Amino acid sequence: MISKMEHIAIIVTDMDHSIQYYSDMFGFKVRLRGFLYQEKQPSMEIELIRDIDPIGEYNKSGVVNHIAFTVDDINQTISHYEKKGIKFLSIQPQSTLEGGLMILFYGPNGELLQLIERVRN
């Protein structure tokens, strides 16, 4: 039985640059080289993979559509990250099915990333 979400793996072209990007942009901490976590949710990690053997085309077989990060105020967050050089894929946030807001952008390895502001109850 599944007890929790463990991690998301991203194939990267430059390990040091990717670690720096996720650390500087989003405040991720390094647990072990290539394993990053957020202090508020340490049990969910991003695994960065570099220089793997293409066993069974391992590096081409996994499909991850995007990684989403929850934010408190999406407009304030967009402004913050635009100043750091992030180029968003739309001019303004889009509505989610739940009535929240979201916006997409690409990470340093072409991975699709999303900021999402949940509906406040």
Side-chain angles (χ1 to χ4, degrees):
M1 301 283 270
I2 294 173
S3 61
K4 70 177 183 103
M5 183 80 154
E6 178 66 32
H7 68 268
I8 295 171
I10 302 171
I11 309 258
V12 302
T13 55
D14 182 327
M15 181 67 78
D16 292 331
H17 176 69
S18 297
I19 289 171
Q20 182 178 359
Y21 180 86
Y22 280 96
S23 298
D24 292 349
M25 285 290 186
F26 311 120
F28 276 84
K29 307 287 183 200
V30 178
R31 177 179 66 81
L32 219 299
R33 183 167 170 77
F35 286 88
L36 310 175
Y37 69 96
Q38 283 278 322
E39 287 183 345
K40 289 184 179 180
Q41 192 180 13
S43 63
M44 176 60 185
E45 296 182 323
I46 294 176
E47 177 185 6
L48 305 176
I49 301 173
R50 173 78 183 121
D51 295 329
I52 61 171
D53 293 327
I55 299 169
E57 292 291 318
Y58 175 75
N59 62 345
K60 302 276 187 215
S61 64
V63 176
V64 173
N65 181 267
H66 67 275
I67 301 170
F69 302 108
T70 303
V71 301
D72 291 327
D73 182 320
I74 199 159
N75 291 310
Q76 181 181 10
T77 304
I78 289 168
S79 177
H80 172 81
Y81 287 123
E82 283 178 333
K83 290 174 186 167
K84 288 186 162 221
I86 287 180
K87 305 282 189 234
F88 291 95
L89 300 181
S90 61
I91 295 170
Q92 55 186 305
Q94 307 298 309
S95 295
T96 66
L97 293 174
E98 299 170 337
L101 295 169
M102 70 87 177
I103 196 163
L104 299 164
F105 60 101
Y106 289 108
N109 301 284
E111 66 273 27
L112 187 59
L113 303 175
Q114 179 184 55
L115 301 177
I116 185 163
E117 179 182 323
R118 297 276 181 207
V119 176
R120 294 188 182 110
N121 294 327

